[in-house]
């Protein structure tokens, strides 16, 4: 989402300020104080640690194109890192240095730019990319040619065609293990649903690598937050980012583990109002990123931890020798001088 999620009222701002762990710069703590999960004192929680961060791409250009506005990440089949901008650019990055190697401009069927947000590299190397304006999911070739477009439930379309709000639709996209099920996460609730329930839509792969509509699930968000990204874990659960912004306080970013496997299929339920018999996805907090050591990071605007910015993209890059997932996050700087394009290297035990 190009504009940051704003908690507008003074009451919400005060609540956010009291629930965040730190109101200013957070110093790294000695490893002895952080438990067995700590790696050189870099623990964010009992299950998440941060190795390092990188601002290498902040306010840079590549062949005259601004590098930033990142909304999603994916690991390509050759091991390189693909990074999607929400302004219709898809970059191929060196996985070690993060330096751009190529860029592809994306467009819709009429040649117009996308508000490109969610991103998956399919098993044949083609790219599945969401745009949150309609919303839509299109399949692109590596060189940016449109190959397919997936169906979207009418209720998830932006009003007046449906009940969603523009720029608050398909922010996250992931393939579940096995590659047969695609899942997209809505950023915010649709009209008629409770304000704390967002819908996650799935599709099932059919012949010819097309996808048909399948089950839908409800996910309960924290007050004032939305869902900018979701990634499948190897066992079929989901890493879910929740994010918000309060003027004068800064960003809230939390990483959750959610399980859709026993949740109710809500595709046939018109309004989600907390009715009995509807099982929302169970979720478990893995870490509040404000609790991570700052590692010497600086912020250009007020933040509860100077490490924080508008974190929006996430991908799982592998496992370490202890079985923890290696998770890479990236922030969307909105091409704003007061924000930073920052990559975060996490290790997550699920």
């Amino acid at each position: 989402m190009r504009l940051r999620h704003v908690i507008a009222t003074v009451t919400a701002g005060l609540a956010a300020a009291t629930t965040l762990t730190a109101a200013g710069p957070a110093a790294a703590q000695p490893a002895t104080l952080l438990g067995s999960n700590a790696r050189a004192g870099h623990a964010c929680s009992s299950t998440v640690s941060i190795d390092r961060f990188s601002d290498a791409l902040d306010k840079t250009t590549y062949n005259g194109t601004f590098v930033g506005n990142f909304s999603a990440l994916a690991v390509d089949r050759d091991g390189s890192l693909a990074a999607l901008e929400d302004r219709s650019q898809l970059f191929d990055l060196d996985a070690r240095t993060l330096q751009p190697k190529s860029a592809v401009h994306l467009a819709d069927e009429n040649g117009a730019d996308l508000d490109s947000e969610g991103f998956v590299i399919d098993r044949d190397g083609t790219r599945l990319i969401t745009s949150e304006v309609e919303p839509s999911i299109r399949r692109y070739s590596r060189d940016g040619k449109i190959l397919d477009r997936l169906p979207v439930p009418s209720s998830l379309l932006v009003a007046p065609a449906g009940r969603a709000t523009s720029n608050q639709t398909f922010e996250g996209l992931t393939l579940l293990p096995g590659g047969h099920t695609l899942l997209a996460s809505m950023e915010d609730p649709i009209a008629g649903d409770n304000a704390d329930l967002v819908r996650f839509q799935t599709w099932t792969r059919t012949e010819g690598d097309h996808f048909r509509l399948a089950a839908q699930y409800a996910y309960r968000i924290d007050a004032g937050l939305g869902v900018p990204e979701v990634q499948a874990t190897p066992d079929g659960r989901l890493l879910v980012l929740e994010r918000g912004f309060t003027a004068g306080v800064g960003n809230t970013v939390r990483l959750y583990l959610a399980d859709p496997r026993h949740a109710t299929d809500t595709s046939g339920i018109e309004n989600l109002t907390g009715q009995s018999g509807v099982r929302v996805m169970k979720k478990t907090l893995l870490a509040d990123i404000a609790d991570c050591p700052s590692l010497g990071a600086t912020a250009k605007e007020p933040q509860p931890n100077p490490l924080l910015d508008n974190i929006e993209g996430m991908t799982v890059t592998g496992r370490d020798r202890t079985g923890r997932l290696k998770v890479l996050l990236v922030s969307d700087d909105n091409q704003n001088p007061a924000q930073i394009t920052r990559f975060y290297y996490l290790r997550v035990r699920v």
Side-chain angles (χ1 to χ4, degrees):
M1 184 177 180
R2 193 166 298 164
L3 296 176
R4 293 172 295 181
H5 212 84
V6 177
I7 305 173
T9 66
V10 173
T11 300
L14 291 173
T18 58
T19 56
L20 294 172
T21 299
Q29 300 181 48
T32 54
L33 300 180
L34 294 171
S36 60
N37 185 61
R39 184 178 183 272
H42 290 181
C44 307
S45 70
S46 62
T47 54
V48 177
S49 64
I50 179 168
D51 286 346
R52 64 190 188 280
F53 69 90
S54 174
D55 297 346
L57 297 187
D58 187 44
K59 306 302 180 290
T60 58
T61 60
Y62 173 75
N63 289 344
T65 299
F66 182 80
V67 177
N69 302 303
F70 289 132
S71 57
L73 300 170
V75 178
D76 212 339
R77 296 185 300 170
D78 64 359
S80 63
L81 183 67
L84 179 68
E85 286 194 349
D86 62 14
R87 306 187 186 190
S88 251
Q89 293 287 341
L90 180 59
F91 287 90
D92 181 27
L93 308 179
D94 183 285
R96 185 178 62 85
T97 67
L98 298 178
Q99 293 307 304
K101 300 191 295 182
S102 65
V104 173
H105 182 262
L106 305 170
D108 66 14
E109 292 82 358
N110 299 315
D113 285 353
L114 310 175
D115 188 347
S116 40
E117 296 288 350
F119 174 42
V120 160
I121 297 177
D122 205 356
R123 57 192 184 186
D124 61 356
T126 58
R127 280 78 166 113
L128 292 161
I129 293 175
T130 74
S131 178
E132 66 172 347
V133 176
E134 308 101 333
S136 63
I137 303 177
R138 296 177 179 86
R139 182 189 294 277
Y140 289 85
S141 64
R142 294 183 66 94
D143 59 1
K145 179 183 177 182
I146 297 175
L147 304 175
D148 195 12
R149 183 163 174 166
L150 278 61
V152 174
S154 58
S155 61
L156 302 186
L157 297 175
V158 168
R163 294 158 47 203
T165 302
S166 184
N167 296 320
Q168 296 176 14
T169 61
F170 290 157
E171 281 268 339
L173 191 68
T174 189
L175 271 174
L176 299 187
H180 299 294
T181 301
L182 183 72
L183 181 145
S185 55
M186 295 287 283
E187 180 177 21
D188 280 343
I190 61 175
D193 286 354
N194 276 5
D196 65 346
L197 293 174
V198 296
R199 300 192 185 224
F200 286 11
Q201 177 65 47
T202 69
W203 292 258
T204 298
R205 192 186 297 273
T206 63
E207 187 177 355
D209 282 337
H210 299 291
F211 286 90
R212 61 172 176 82
L213 289 170
Q216 185 185 97
Y217 307 107
Y219 176 87
R220 193 180 305 279
I221 51 176
D222 292 353
L225 305 185
V227 178
E229 187 61 284
V230 60
Q231 285 290 298
T233 65
D235 64 1
R237 292 179 291 175
L238 301 170
L239 295 175
V240 181
L241 277 179
E242 296 191 32
R243 174 201 59 183
F245 178 80
T246 304
V249 177
N251 290 99
T252 302
V253 183
R254 295 175 184 146
L255 179 63
Y256 281 93
L257 181 66
D259 194 344
R261 294 173 297 183
H262 303 293
T264 300
D265 180 358
T266 60
S267 57
I269 301 175
E270 182 175 0
N271 298 115
L272 295 174
T273 58
Q275 57 265 56
S276 62
V278 175
R279 298 186 304 277
V280 302
M281 280 187 278
K282 181 181 179 181
K283 74 175 190 179
T284 302
L285 178 65
L286 296 175
D288 189 321
I289 305 303
D291 293 339
C292 294
S294 61
L295 303 181
T298 58
K300 299 179 181 180
E301 60 182 349
Q303 291 287 358
N305 179 337
L307 185 71
L308 283 169
D309 209 279
N310 181 40
I311 298 174
E312 186 158 320
M314 172 172 60
T315 190
V316 177
T317 63
R319 286 188 184 271
D320 68 12
R321 285 181 289 181
T322 69
R324 290 179 298 176
L325 299 179
K326 295 191 286 187
V327 176
L328 182 62
L329 309 179
V330 68
S331 61
D332 175 1
D333 74 336
N334 292 305
Q335 211 159 336
N336 182 340
Q339 294 178 266
I340 299 170
T341 295
R342 177 169 287 165
F343 289 79
Y344 305 77
Y345 294 81
L346 306 183
R347 294 174 190 255
V348 179
R349 192 179 304 282
V350 297

